[in-house]
Amino acid sequence: MTKVFPSREAAVAAAARVRLVCFPHAAGNATLFRGWGDALADGPGGPVDVCAVELAGRGRRFDEAPCTVAETVIDEVVAALGELAPLPTLFFGHSLGARLAFGAAVAYPARGAVVGL
């Protein structure tokens, strides 16, 4: 668990064969994706490592100053992903989260990762 992915479940992540990075809408937080790991646990590919992004100034990171530059958020998420075991990675976002997800999906392969949108 990191400050970027505060609700990531280590036990599920260890068994997962794919990772789903979820970005909330502009006023949202990581709790929007609570339950997604359970909902995706019994899929044909096995459990999914759901990494719900907690943006600075939201949810558990409420005490931090909100970030106003998309590239800064993208860099933070890509760096946090670089600390995790490598897995094929998918990106999902809603509204502003879609913009951030796209940016992360473009930036992440530069580190040799396998991604999908």
Side-chain angles (χ1 to χ4, degrees), residues 37-77:
D38 291 338
L40 298 171
D42 297 327
V48 175
D49 180 13
V50 176
C51 294
V53 175
E54 189 77 272
L55 301 171
R58 304 281 185 259
R60 294 181 187 177
R61 297 179 66 189
F62 186 78
D63 291 340
E64 296 178 38
C67 184
T68 59
V69 180
E71 288 71 22
T72 302
V73 175
I74 291 164
D75 290 345
E76 179 181 45
V77 170

Side-chain angles (χ1 to χ4, degrees), residues 81-101:
L81 287 170
E83 296 173 9
L84 305 179
L87 283 176
T89 303
L90 305 168
F91 294 87
F92 171 82
H94 173 70
S95 190
L96 172 68
R99 159 62 172 99
L100 298 173

Side-chain angles (χ1 to χ4, degrees), residues 11-62:
V12 173
R17 296 191 329 194
V18 67
R19 177 172 293 123
L20 176 61
V21 182
C22 300
F23 292 81
H25 57 82
N29 60 48
T31 61
L32 292 168
F33 306 104
R34 183 180 38 225
W36 281 38
D38 291 338
L40 298 171
D42 297 327
V48 175
D49 180 13
V50 176
C51 294
V53 175
E54 189 77 272
L55 301 171
R58 304 281 185 259
R60 294 181 187 177
R61 297 179 66 189
F62 186 78

